[in-house]
Coordinates of all heavy atoms in Angstrom, one line a residue:
H66 N 12.5 2.7 26.3 CA 13.8 2.3 26.7 C 14.2 1.0 26.1 O 14.1 0.0 26.7 CB 13.9 2.2 28.3 CG 15.3 2.2 28.8 ND1 15.8 3.1 29.7 CD2 16.3 1.3 28.6 CE1 17.0 2.8 30.0 NE2 17.4 1.7 29.3
H141 N 28.6 3.6 35.7 CA 27.9 2.4 35.1 C 28.2 2.2 33.7 O 28.1 1.1 33.1 CB 26.4 2.7 35.3 CG 25.5 1.5 34.8 ND1 25.8 0.2 35.1 CD2 24.4 1.5 34.0 CE1 24.8 -0.5 34.5 NE2 24.0 0.2 33.8
K186 N 21.9 10.7 26.8 CA 21.7 9.7 27.9 C 22.9 9.8 28.8 O 24.1 9.8 28.3 CB 21.6 8.3 27.3 CG 21.7 7.2 28.3 CD 20.4 6.8 28.9 CE 20.6 5.6 29.9 NZ 20.7 4.3 29.3
H227 N 20.0 7.2 33.4 CA 19.9 5.9 34.1 C 20.1 6.2 35.6 O 21.2 6.7 36.0 CB 21.0 5.0 33.6 CG 21.4 3.9 34.5 ND1 21.0 2.6 34.3 CD2 22.2 4.0 35.6 CE1 21.6 1.9 35.3 NE2 22.2 2.7 36.1
Y229 N 18.8 4.7 39.8 CA 17.9 3.9 40.6 C 17.6 4.5 42.0 O 16.4 4.5 42.4 CB 18.6 2.5 40.9 CG 18.5 1.6 39.7 CD1 19.5 1.5 38.8 CD2 17.4 0.7 39.6 CE1 19.4 0.7 37.7 CE2 17.3 -0.1 38.5 CZ 18.3 -0.2 37.6 OH 18.2 -1.0 36.5
H247 N 14.4 3.8 34.8 CA 14.4 2.8 35.9 C 13.7 3.4 37.1 O 12.5 3.2 37.3 CB 15.7 2.2 36.3 CG 16.6 1.9 35.1 ND1 16.2 1.1 34.1 CD2 17.9 2.4 34.8 CE1 17.2 1.0 33.2 NE2 18.2 1.8 33.6
D319 N 14.2 -2.2 28.3 CA 15.7 -2.3 28.6 C 16.1 -3.8 28.5 O 17.0 -4.2 29.2 CB 15.9 -1.9 30.1 CG 17.3 -1.5 30.4 OD1 18.1 -1.3 29.4 OD2 17.7 -1.6 31.6
Ligands
ZN1 ZN1 20.2 1.7 32.8

Side-chain angles (χ1 to χ4, degrees):
H66 195 120
H141 182 48
K186 166 88 181 284
H227 156 106
Y229 283 90
H247 319 304
D319 200 22

